[in-house]
Amino acid sequence: MLPSLTVPAGRPAPHRGAPVLTLFMTIDAVGGVWQYGLDLAEDLTRRGVGITLAVLGPEPSQDQFRAARAIRGLDLCPLGASLDWTALTPAEVEAAARIVAREAERAGADLIHLNSPALAAITDFCAPVVAVAHSCVATWWAAMRPGPLPPDLAWRANLVAEGYRRVDALLSPPRAFAEATAATYGIAPPRVVPNGRRSAASRGHRTPVGAAASPFAFTAGRLWDEGKNVRTLDRAASRLRLPFLAAGPLKGPNAAQFSPEALRPLGRLSDQDVARWLAGAPIYASAARYEPFGLSVLEAASAGCALVLSDIPTFRELWDEAAIFIAPDDDAGFACAIEMVAADPAIRARLGAEARTRAEAYTVEAMTAGVLDAYRTVLEAPPLRAGVPA
């Protein structure tokens, strides 16, 4: 049973039909945080939580707007403010933080959920703050580059560090990333609450007849993000005889871009379109060098896809014994593994079944239970910010 919530001190008991809690959550439409936020919000609204989703960064696409508006009782609030990792100056982040604080107060928030923890470094909020460490520039740099952070990233990491210290509770999806965050910033490890994702079947997508008759490989995500390491998959695709499709944007909001040579790019697809491709049970590959969780991998596993993944700590933690692991930059190894799985229907079926079974542990309901438990702990604690003396 999911934990109940205590009405915050000083607030009258809700009347029948009123929300048990008014939550203000930041979100962005650039990557997995959007899926995380919508799945969590949908489950929370079913439990009587009133939610405002404040969108930072680029405006959501039309299909993203439709998905958000389909959640009954959800208030979607595009702010037009910068994300901390795409802002050009600290002043842009400060402006975003003050907008979020103002809108949270206007919404009468009992609790604030920041998916951009750097905002907590800038200003005080009208309610306790729970933040989630989804990713950050400092851990990205540590996975991708030698040496210290360059100045343009250092100021961003400093804001994140201060935000982590000031929030009332800090969460992280997998233990491996929680430990990396703690080591990078010199803080106590965040509370681990694994992400969840509804399976394609639960969202009404069914496997087309004969979809798996001709094996193909598939990947999805922010193809422009160097941390996703799609270049390795592009080189692997040049070695393959079977089609290798890649869904996702080729250009990012930070001017990064990727031009595939052998992968077949599908562009940015809606969740529904990705689910249709996954319903064909492709061999799903990710060569990520930096991946704090990987919702696209979870979605592929839920669809029963065989997984071929880079051998990094987060993927090992989540998918050990349910995937084939290859060194992130070994394009020949990825190509060999994909060809082997494609050539043997029995191996493909076994890997797909193992991935689907493992995915059953990472449900939206389990994620919501963990997040609600963190909310309850914060709401029942004395009103002090973590790391800020009384």
Side-chain angles (χ1 to χ4, degrees), residues 27 31 48 62 69 75 112 142 156 170 191 205 223 239 243 255-256 275 285 288 294 297 308 310 334 350 390:
I27 193 172
Q62 289 303 309
R69 288 167 178 158
D75 182 14
I112 294 164
R156 304 170 198 273
L170 181 63
R191 179 191 294 218
H205 301 294
L223 305 183
R239 299 171 176 266
V297 177
V308 180
S310 53
F334 270 94
R350 176 175 60 80

Side-chain angles (χ1 to χ4, degrees), residues 34 38 61-71 76 270 272:
W34 178 265
L38 255 60
S61 64
Q62 289 303 309
D63 60 275
Q64 288 175 318
F65 268 123
R66 285 193 296 270
R69 288 167 178 158
I71 300 175
L76 189 66
S270 68
Q272 292 78 8

Side-chain angles (χ1 to χ4, degrees), residues 201-373:
S202 71
R203 299 197 303 275
H205 301 294
R206 304 184 184 278
T207 304
V209 176
S214 300
F216 64 99
F218 189 83
T219 195
R222 299 192 304 265
L223 305 183
W224 53 265
D225 184 347
E226 190 179 347
K228 305 303 181 187
N229 196 28
V230 184
R231 295 185 189 281
T232 291
L233 299 183
D234 195 34
R235 294 193 302 270
S238 69
R239 299 171 176 266
L240 294 172
R241 293 185 295 272
L242 71 162
F244 198 154
L245 283 55
L250 297 173
K251 295 182 179 180
N254 58 353
Q257 62 180 12
F258 168 66
S259 299
E261 295 182 2
L263 288 168
R264 175 183 160 191
L266 300 175
R268 185 201 164 274
L269 300 181
S270 68
D271 285 354
Q272 292 78 8
D273 287 336
V274 170
R276 290 186 188 102
W277 282 108
L278 294 178
I283 300 154
Y284 188 91
S286 173
R289 293 174 61 193
Y290 176 77
E291 184 57 87
F293 187 86
L295 281 172
S296 60
V297 177
L298 175 54
E299 187 164 1
S302 297
C305 298
L307 303 179
V308 180
L309 307 176
S310 53
D311 197 351
I312 59 175
T314 49
F315 283 164
R316 276 287 182 179
E317 175 187 339
L318 298 168
W319 304 106
D320 199 20
E321 299 183 356
I324 294 174
F325 292 95
I326 307 293
D329 295 321
D330 185 1
D331 53 283
F334 270 94
C336 182
I338 291 169
E339 288 280 16
M340 178 194 69
V341 174
D344 193 325
I347 291 177
R348 197 159 69 249
R350 176 175 60 80
L351 284 171
E354 290 172 350
R356 192 192 304 250
T357 298
R358 181 66 57 82
E360 291 172 356
Y362 307 123
T363 64
V364 171
E365 292 75 18
M367 175 179 70
T368 304
V371 171
L372 276 172
D373 192 49

Side-chain angles (χ1 to χ4, degrees), residues 165 180-189:
R165 287 190 289 267
T181 298
T184 299
Y185 292 98
I187 60 174

Side-chain angles (χ1 to χ4, degrees), residues 93 97 100 112 114 116-125 129-131 159-168 385 388:
V93 184
V100 169
I112 294 164
L114 294 180
S116 297
L119 301 179
I122 304 295
T123 188
D124 291 325
F125 290 92
V129 177
V130 173
L159 286 178
V160 171
E162 181 62 19
Y164 285 167
R165 287 190 289 267
R166 288 174 59 87
V167 298
D168 296 278
R385 291 285 186 271
V388 179

Side-chain angles (χ1 to χ4, degrees), residues 140-200:
W140 182 94
W141 184 266
M144 301 299 298
R145 299 281 193 277
L149 281 166
D152 185 52
L153 297 186
W155 68 261
R156 304 170 198 273
N158 289 338
L159 286 178
V160 171
E162 181 62 19
Y164 285 167
R165 287 190 289 267
R166 288 174 59 87
V167 298
D168 296 278
L170 181 63
L171 314 182
S172 172
R175 189 167 306 282
F177 187 64
E179 292 171 352
T181 298
T184 299
Y185 292 98
I187 60 174
R191 179 191 294 218
V192 176
V193 179
N195 285 339
R197 188 83 171 109
R198 287 190 174 82
S199 68

